[in-house]
Amino acid sequence: TFYIGVSNAIASGMMIAASYSLILEGVTFTDVMDISDVSCVRRTCLGILLGVMFLLGTKSFLDQHEDLKVGGLSGADARKVMLIIFVMTLHSFSEGVGIGVSFGGDNGDKLGMFISASLAVHNIPEGLAVAIVLLPRRVSKLTASMWCIATSLPQPLMAVPAFMFVNTFVPILPIGLGFAGGAMAFVAVFELLVEAYEDTESVPITGSLTVAAFAGMMYLQNMLHGDL
């Protein structure tokens, strides 16, 4: 379990960095097609609040269904798997909207390429988080891989309508980015990071790995921003 804790700590740090980037993108979002009278900061904060509330509601619902079964899993294992998969899948919808809007907005291809590349990098810790939850619970590698892919499918599915109806999606984008960032940060801190400490039984190891993963992810994102 020690190495599972190590993986959890790394995934947590990377996801916190990804959450920070999503929230920052929402707060600083500007587009001539944005006709909302509410500031991007307020809309992003609303999204964060909705994301956290959604997570708490989902966790409460799953805790009330102790007999839940997912494949060969049941009880606490099934609830943990469902929570991670559900969150990762749902927040991918917001990321898909971000991709479509970025290509259709006034900044055009340059912003679209940056957002797409950034979210592609974000998919690494998200997939890692899903795999870490599934593999120790004796889920096959093929099944775990399919779930990792499935949780990101909403991105291309939502990118197309968001691009086609960009005027409709632009005002709600900061809310969606805040929702995705808030939900992912909640999972990273209160699920993965807690489990990482429980498995490693070491605050220094967990903390140093999380910080290193956070720094590495931020460096990679900044490098992408500079290139694009």
Side-chain angles (χ1 to χ4, degrees), residues 17-26 91 95 119 122 177-178 180-181 184:
S19 300
Y20 170 79
S21 297
L22 288 171
I23 292 170
L24 181 64
E25 188 65 34
H91 99 276
E95 293 182 338
L119 293 181
H122 291 180
L177 292 172
M184 191 155 54

Side-chain angles (χ1 to χ4, degrees), residues 142-153:
L142 177 60
T143 301
S145 299
M146 294 304 294
W147 275 116
C148 291
I149 295 171
T151 54
S152 294
L153 282 179

Side-chain angles (χ1 to χ4, degrees), residues 165-178:
F165 304 100
V166 63
N167 289 334
T168 301
F169 282 95
V170 161
I172 65 173
L173 180 58
I175 299 176
L177 292 172

Side-chain angles (χ1 to χ4, degrees), residues 147-215:
W147 275 116
C148 291
I149 295 171
T151 54
S152 294
L153 282 179
Q155 291 180 5
L157 294 177
M158 287 303 298
V160 175
F163 175 76
M164 295 175 64
F165 304 100
V166 63
N167 289 334
T168 301
F169 282 95
V170 161
I172 65 173
L173 180 58
I175 299 176
L177 292 172
F179 183 97
M184 191 155 54
F186 184 96
V187 170
V189 175
F190 294 103
E191 296 292 334
L192 296 180
L193 193 58
V194 171
E195 283 195 3
Y197 169 70
E198 291 174 351
D199 290 336
T200 62
E201 298 181 345
S202 171
V203 173
I205 292 176
T206 301
S208 59
L209 287 171
T210 301
V211 171
F214 175 86

Side-chain angles (χ1 to χ4, degrees), residues 61-69 74-76 79:
F61 174 80
L62 293 174
D63 288 341
Q64 293 173 11
H65 294 75
E66 297 183 356
D67 57 345
L68 180 68
K69 293 184 178 181
S74 60
R79 294 196 299 273

